[in-house]
């Protein structure tokens, strides 16, 4: 599910040598755009074919043997103009030669690589998310269709090599306890969910879709994974998504998402009022 696309007016930059430069300034009012289908790394096939299951869900292993934040490991990197969140599903088509080489290596090892946001404005960021290949299909021309699931977040600490593909040493990121010991994360998560439901409802109305009751969005998720889920719905605003991914405080992430949703809801409410007065507009 994707919320209406949001485009922050600021253009953040990241200095890899400054660990504080990944925390972005507060949002300016956001511009609401009508939803578009994701088109970057989706499957485009003439006829459906089955995907082979390559690995079990890493989430189970993650709970039984979670990586420590001070562990340093080497991880192949895949720069993309999108942001992957823990728990999110990412379909990919691999056709570039160097990444086909990477895939051949991964299929012989642990099926995990780092997805890291990169574009012409921001450059390549230093914080990303592990993508684990859960299903794959290899075609006769050596292309790959993948289904990946977001796992742990990481920070690049050292670039090991750049050819044939990027490999870096990384450390794991975990959310720290909130500075406010009385922060009620459950209440904050419930507020965010309420704003999400209102945004979806008004967006459907403006789009001419039936206004039906929005079902449970949290799906029994704890506040931290729920905050990642919310961030994953902000399609069309990858720099804002990157800022959310880099935050190491669940409360701060939920508050920022709440502000984004509130700004969007204000816009939608005004647009809905205009539509009521001028139905043909």
């Amino acid at each position: 599910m994707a919320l209406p696309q949001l485009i922050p007016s600021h253009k953040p930059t990241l200095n890899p040598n400054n660990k504080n430069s990944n925390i972005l300034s507060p949002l300016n009012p956001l511009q609401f755009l009508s939803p578009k289908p994701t088109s970057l790394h989706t499957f485009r096939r003439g006829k459906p074919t089955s995907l082979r299951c390559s690995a079990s869900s890493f989430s189970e292993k993650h709970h039984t043997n979670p990586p420590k934040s001070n562990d340093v490991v080497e991880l192949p990197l895949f720069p993309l103009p999108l942001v992957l969140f823990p728990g999110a599903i990412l379909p990919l088509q691999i056709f570039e030669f160097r990444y086909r080489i990477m895939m051949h290596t991964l299929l012989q090892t642990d099926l995990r690589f780092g997805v890291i946001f990169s574009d012409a404005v921001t450059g390549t960021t230093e914080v990303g998310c592990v993508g684990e290949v859960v299903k794959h299909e290899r075609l006769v021309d050596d292309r790959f269709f993948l289904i990946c699931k977001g796992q742990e977040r990481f920070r690049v600490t050292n670039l090991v090599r750049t050819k044939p593909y990027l490999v870096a040493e990384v450390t794991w990121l975990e959310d720290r306890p909130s500075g406010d010991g009385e922060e009620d994360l459950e209440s904050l998560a419930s507020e965010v969910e309420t704003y999400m439901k209102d945004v979806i409802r008004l967006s459907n109305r403006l789009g001419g879709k039936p206004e039906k009751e929005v079902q449970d969005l949290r799906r029994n998720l704890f506040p931290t994974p729920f905050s990642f889920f919310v961030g994953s719905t902000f399609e069309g605003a990858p720099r804002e998504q990157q800022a959310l991914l880099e935050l190491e405080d669940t409360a701060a992430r939920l508050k920022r998402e709440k502000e984004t949703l509130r700004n969007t809801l204000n816009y939608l409410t005004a647009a809905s009022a205009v539509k009521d007065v001028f139905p043909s507009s």
Side-chain angles (χ1 to χ4, degrees), residues 81 102 129 157 256:
M102 184 178 79
C129 179
T157 58
R256 183 159 181 157

Side-chain angles (χ1 to χ4, degrees), residues 185-233:
L185 293 179
E186 284 294 333
S187 176
L188 190 53
S190 295
E191 289 182 62
V192 171
E193 182 184 25
T194 299
Y195 274 114
M196 285 186 72
K197 288 181 176 180
D198 289 341
V199 166
I200 293 170
R201 177 178 54 81
L202 277 179
S203 176
N204 286 341
R205 181 174 183 232
L206 286 169
K209 299 178 182 179
E211 283 193 61
K212 57 183 180 180
E213 185 67 24
V214 181
Q215 301 300 314
D216 176 34
L217 296 176
R218 283 194 65 180
R219 299 166 298 174
N220 296 319
L221 290 174
F222 288 111
T224 298
F226 178 64
S227 72
F228 291 138
F229 164 71
V230 175
S232 72
T233 68

Side-chain angles (χ1 to χ4, degrees), residues 75-188:
L75 191 68
L77 300 181
F78 196 167
L80 289 169
L82 53 80
V83 178
L84 177 64
F85 283 86
I89 299 299
L90 176 65
L92 288 172
Q93 178 181 179
I94 306 296
F95 54 85
E96 192 174 341
F97 179 69
R98 56 179 169 168
Y99 294 117
R100 299 201 320 256
I101 293 175
M102 184 178 79
M103 278 308 307
H104 283 288
T105 302
L106 292 179
L107 291 175
Q108 301 300 319
T109 55
D110 64 355
L111 299 169
R112 288 154 51 83
F113 60 97
V115 175
I116 196 159
F117 175 63
S118 179
D119 70 1
V121 175
T122 308
T124 301
T125 58
E126 63 178 11
V127 172
C129 179
V130 170
E132 185 190 25
V133 180
V134 294
K135 292 182 180 179
H136 79 277
E137 177 189 2
R138 181 181 173 187
L139 304 184
V140 292
D141 60 0
D142 208 32
R143 287 181 298 137
F144 288 88
F145 289 115
L146 312 176
I147 295 179
C148 308
K149 183 175 182 180
Q151 302 293 350
E152 304 93 342
R153 294 173 299 156
F154 62 85
R155 184 187 301 277
V156 174
T157 58
N158 181 47
L159 196 59
V160 176
R161 69 170 187 264
T162 60
K163 295 181 179 180
Y165 49 83
L166 293 175
V167 176
E169 290 182 343
V170 305
T171 55
W172 307 115
L173 289 186
E174 297 178 356
D175 275 12
R176 298 186 294 262
S178 173
D180 184 355
E182 299 179 359
E183 186 71 55
D184 187 349
L185 293 179
E186 284 294 333
S187 176
L188 190 53

